[in-house]
Amino acid sequence: MRRPTITDVARQAGVSKGAVSYALNGQPGVSESTRARIMAIAEEIGWRPSSAARALNGARARTVGLAVCRPARTLGVEPFFMELISGIEGELSDRSYALLLQMVTDHEQEIAVYRRWWGEGRVDGAILVDLNVDDLRVPAFEALGLPSVVVGHPSGAGSLLPVWSDDAHAVRETVRYLLALGHRRIARIAGLPHLVHTVLRDRAFAEACDGVAEYVTVHTDYTGEEGAGATRRLLSSPDRPTAIVYDNDIMAVAGLSAARELRLDVPGDLSVVAWNDSPLSRVVHPPLTALSRDISAYGAQAARHLLSLISGEDVGPYEDGAARLTPRGSTAPPPGGRDGSSRG
């Protein structure tokens, strides 16, 4: 079956293609009764405007682009991205917008994708994720003039519109909690070191621990495999930590398994904290102490601000609420009491 055309509508309505064009585009030149009849026939046969034709006429595509520079399997195992995209899609759907999603291998390819989408009139705007230090996408988007929202800290967003939350506050809250339990050897298994939010978390973690606890940060690629490997190395060292903070829930669950392999009890021998609370954090045993926030609502805010930008509204940066610590069964005072001086 082929796609219905204006010619098909004109044939069934018994009018010229020009009359159909006037009617479908809301232009004068046809009577209201003829316009209504043409609109009804177009709906009946399933006619929809061509995106290419709409682009030539300067009409909006009613589509937002999102290119993600991560392996495609990330979307299947990373709850954060699934919740973020769910929030974006929910807000766009409510406003009769679509989401155009593509996985890319590097930022050069990502820029090329957006340049093609924007040039072909396929998108009205874009959402930029995984903000890098000195991110080459930012000046490229600025040069394109593509309406864009950055899900990331304003310090790296240039003139693009940022939607962000205070990760440093969440890190400080977590360290204060672990210190109050008595932990003085704290490790953090972090994400990719070139991401802006990782740098901000690194800095806040070092500042919060400085002078009050021994600390170390190990960077990984966010996968369970690297999270487990980093955990084994830390727990096999002579001065193993009594608490580990993980930058996502996947690594925290993998770290929990690695600790059990080494016959360590959680939380008796090791306390575990996960960033990005999720159902996974709550169904494992013990349930994980986690930094909780509404990621779906975060995605919806990004979409909402982008649509306002596309509509030409005066819209400024948006700071979402910081993640809140939710204590559960994976954290407790360190072995030997609140000074953590002895080991089990």
Side-chain angles (χ1 to χ4, degrees):
M1 295 181 64
R2 65 180 179 82
R3 174 177 174 164
T5 66
I6 284 181
T7 301
D8 298 321
V9 177
R11 184 182 302 113
Q12 291 205 28
V15 298
S16 68
K17 289 192 294 182
V20 172
S21 179
Y22 291 147
L24 295 176
N25 289 296
Q27 297 175 343
V30 294
S31 68
E32 288 306 312
S33 60
T34 300
R35 187 188 308 278
R37 183 159 54 89
I38 290 172
M39 297 292 286
I41 290 171
E43 180 67 26
E44 180 183 347
I45 69 174
W47 177 87
R48 293 292 183 272
S50 162
S51 59
R54 289 174 62 88
L56 288 173
N57 291 328
R60 287 181 182 164
R62 301 196 70 80
T63 301
V64 165
L66 173 62
V68 179
C69 186
R70 288 199 185 189
R73 62 186 174 87
T74 298
L75 298 184
V77 299
E78 177 61 82
F80 173 84
F81 266 113
M82 293 305 297
E83 292 179 36
L84 184 74
I85 290 172
S86 172
I88 292 171
E89 174 62 26
E91 183 67 24
L92 294 179
S93 179
D94 287 346
R95 305 275 288 274
S96 297
Y97 266 74
L99 178 66
L100 183 57
L101 174 68
Q102 183 167 331
M103 311 303 290
V104 295
T105 57
D106 55 46
H107 288 161
E108 288 80 6
Q109 183 187 5
E110 183 175 345
I111 292 169
V113 165
Y114 280 118
R115 185 174 286 119
R116 183 177 72 253
W117 285 349
W118 182 235
E120 293 174 354
R122 298 178 65 187
V123 299
D124 299 321
I127 296 176
L128 178 65
V129 297
D130 282 343
L131 188 62
N132 279 221
V133 176
D134 298 324
D135 199 312
L136 57 87
R137 295 171 296 173
V138 171
F141 279 39
E142 291 172 335
L144 278 175
L146 172 64
S148 306
V149 163
V150 174
V151 179
H153 196 269
S155 63
S159 65
L160 305 182
L161 183 66
V163 172
W164 62 291
S165 67
D166 189 353
D167 280 4
H169 174 84
V171 169
R172 290 191 293 267
E173 181 185 6
T174 301
V175 172
R176 283 196 298 266
Y177 168 71
L178 293 173
L179 291 173
L181 287 176
H183 293 278
R184 295 298 181 268
R185 290 184 296 275
I186 306 173
R188 178 169 152 264
I189 297 182
L192 298 164
H194 57 265
L195 297 177
V196 169
H197 71 259
T198 302
V199 173
L200 295 173
R201 293 179 189 182
D202 287 353
R203 186 181 304 145
F205 181 68
E207 290 173 353
C209 292
D210 189 37
V212 292
E214 299 176 30
Y215 65 93
V216 61
T217 294
V218 180
H219 293 105
T220 70
D221 65 357
Y222 284 114
T223 64
E225 293 81 3
E226 288 210 9
T231 301
R232 292 187 192 99
R233 290 190 295 274
L234 286 169
L235 297 181
S236 299
S237 65
D239 295 314
R240 72 172 187 244
T242 61
I244 302 179
V245 181
Y246 294 83
D247 263 18
N248 71 3
D249 48 354
I250 299 298
M251 293 195 296
V253 172
L256 185 65
S257 297
R260 286 173 175 164
E261 289 172 9
L262 296 172
R263 300 186 181 279
L264 295 175
D265 177 69
V266 175
D269 299 314
L270 175 71
S271 285
V272 171
V273 179
W275 202 294
N276 295 334
D277 196 7
S278 71
L280 184 61
S281 301
R282 298 188 286 274
V283 300
V284 295
H285 181 76
L288 298 179
T289 293
L291 285 156
S292 306
R293 53 186 303 216
D294 191 338
I295 302 300
S296 180
Y298 190 42
Q301 284 289 354
R304 193 172 301 132
H305 279 68
L306 178 57
L307 293 180
S308 296
L309 196 63
I310 290 168
S311 298
E313 298 175 24
D314 185 14
V315 57
Y318 175 80
E319 182 179 358
D320 198 28
R324 302 176 307 277
L325 190 70
T326 302
R328 297 196 184 99
S330 67
T331 48
R338 300 184 73 83
D339 64 356
S341 58
S342 64
R343 309 202 179 251

